[in-house]
Amino acid sequence: MTSTTGTTGTTTAGTVCPHCGWPDGAEPFQVVSRHNTAAGRTVWTRCGCGSLQVRMIDDRGMRIVSRGRPAVPQSSPASR
């Protein structure tokens, strides 16, 4: 996994995932994709609890601009 840490001016200090409490400024559990944009870089990550997050990295630092809920485990046909 590649880190998104090390950016200067991180604006997520003190904020945490509302679903599991993982610090937003910490290493993401999984990087899903990265995209360069005119404003900087967009990084889609998945938290340890399964919440999908969109992180914006630019000259102001890193911030989470969108966050989904953790995925609900799917029941298997055998358990129905």
Side-chain angles (χ1 to χ4, degrees):
M1 173 174 22
T2 306
S3 172
T4 59
T5 58
T7 58
T8 58
T10 301
T11 57
T12 58
T15 59
V16 298
C17 174
H19 307 293
C20 70
W22 188 265
D24 286 343
E27 180 78 22
F29 179 72
Q30 177 185 25
V31 174
V32 179
S33 66
R34 299 174 186 272
H35 307 278
N36 291 325
T37 66
R41 175 173 258 191
T42 301
V43 182
W44 289 75
T45 63
R46 191 165 301 281
C47 185
C49 68
S51 169
L52 189 63
Q53 305 168 352
V54 181
R55 296 173 179 228
M56 193 63 207
I57 303 171
D58 58 17
D59 58 349
R60 296 183 292 166
M62 187 277 295
R63 63 197 175 283
I64 295 178
V65 295
S66 182
R67 183 188 325 259
R69 292 188 173 128
V72 177
Q74 298 292 322
S75 61
S76 67
S79 67
R80 292 184 200 168

